[in-house]
Amino acid sequence: TLPEQGPPLEIYFNHLPSPGEITDDDSIDFRSRDAVPQAKENELLACLYSDRDVQTGRDIFGTEVPHLDRKPVVLKAGVNIRIEEHQDRKSYYSTMAGWARIDKEVISVRPYFRHDGDVDYRVGNIKFDGDVEITGDVFSRFRVQSGGDVVVHGSVERGAKVFAEGNLTVHKGVIGA
């Protein structure tokens, strides 16, 4: 069920990582951030409403603040996205399962996940159903799980765990093994 009123763009997949996961002892595991949004085939990812204006917001004191940027909201379909046009909105659906993302006003779904950088606290553990590519290192105590192949262009530190249902390639070595 779609809401009656709201912002011009509504995103229905978890496109922002969480700060961490609360553990059984009420502490926070900052490695578990759920930072890789995965879409299912034919999943509704976003709706862009043509009849909604950019709304005002509220500051931390509850005072209404006008929205100064009056540019219209734009969302373009990238790879593996199907648009359904309705009278008041465009609905964006994935045409395949994979990594859902919005980058520079383009929504897309990729069959693989590529992380540019190290697997550390900025991204957290990586869990993805398809292939995973990491351009940096996998730091100690972090985990990478893949339903396909994993390629690490850097190294894997002692204490890190990398699981691949397919092939595992580490270009700069496994430290401590």
Side-chain angles (χ1 to χ4, degrees), residues 22-127:
I22 298 176
T23 63
D24 293 337
D25 66 354
D26 291 329
S27 63
I28 296 179
D29 179 1
F30 292 108
R31 288 179 208 86
S32 298
R33 301 194 59 209
D34 196 23
V36 184
Q38 296 190 64
K40 296 180 176 114
E41 187 175 354
N42 294 317
E43 180 178 350
L44 175 62
L45 300 177
C47 284
L48 180 62
Y49 293 88
S50 58
D51 61 347
R52 295 184 186 173
D53 193 14
V54 177
Q55 300 177 348
T56 59
R58 296 197 179 274
D59 64 16
I60 61 170
F61 303 106
T63 307
E64 196 169 279
V65 178
H67 194 285
L68 300 178
D69 183 7
R70 303 303 282 181
K71 294 188 305 187
V73 177
V74 176
L75 186 62
K76 299 172 190 160
V79 295
N80 303 313
I81 295 294
R82 179 182 84 247
I83 297 177
E84 289 185 9
E85 302 257 357
H86 305 277
Q87 184 175 353
D88 64 336
R89 71 183 183 278
K90 289 182 181 178
S91 298
Y92 298 80
Y93 291 88
S94 61
T95 60
M96 66 172 298
W99 172 34
R101 63 184 296 211
I102 297 177
D103 185 35
K104 297 179 184 170
E105 299 178 344
V106 177
I107 186 169
S108 61
V109 175
R110 304 269 180 184
Y112 61 89
F113 174 71
R114 176 186 166 104
H115 174 63
D116 290 318
D118 299 325
V119 177
D120 56 15
Y121 286 107
R122 284 175 284 188
V123 69
N125 296 327
I126 293 174
K127 183 177 181 182

